[in-house]
Amino acid sequence: MGTKWSVNSLVSGQTAASLPAGTENKAHLTFAKDGIVTGNLGCNRFTSTAKISGDSITFGRLASTRKLCEGPVMDVERGLVEVLQG
């Protein structure tokens, strides 16, 4: 299966903030041994590649479903996509 990480906060600049109420336990990433990462961005499912080197992870291009969610769930998703894209 792989290693699953649950997203419980997002970082903006030097500050980490808890996820908004109602979005907890939605966003997660699972890293497989073959370099594939899959998960949920809060609203949409995604897949990508991940290369782990030392203490950093480099993600490849994200492929995701294209559902539109409302309010805080989409805010979390936008923040997470921003982090994953660099």
Side-chain angles (χ1 to χ4, degrees):
M1 176 87 175
T3 302
K4 183 177 179 178
W5 288 2
S6 295
V7 178
N8 57 23
S9 63
L10 289 175
V11 175
S12 178
Q14 296 294 319
T15 305
S18 296
L19 299 179
T23 64
E24 304 92 342
N25 301 317
K26 293 186 185 288
H28 63 271
L29 301 88
T30 300
F31 296 87
K33 293 181 190 246
D34 63 1
I36 301 296
V37 60
T38 59
N40 190 297
L41 298 166
C43 177
N44 288 285
R45 293 182 321 272
F46 80 96
T47 187
S48 185
T49 57
K51 181 178 179 183
I52 300 170
S53 178
D55 62 355
S56 67
I57 302 172
T58 303
F59 293 93
R61 184 177 298 258
L62 296 177
S64 71
T65 56
R66 308 265 308 173
K67 295 187 300 183
L68 180 60
C69 295
E70 296 183 9
V73 174
M74 252 350 255
D75 294 340
V76 168
E77 181 157 320
R78 284 185 199 104
L80 190 52
V81 167
E82 187 175 312
V83 168
L84 294 176
Q85 291 180 336

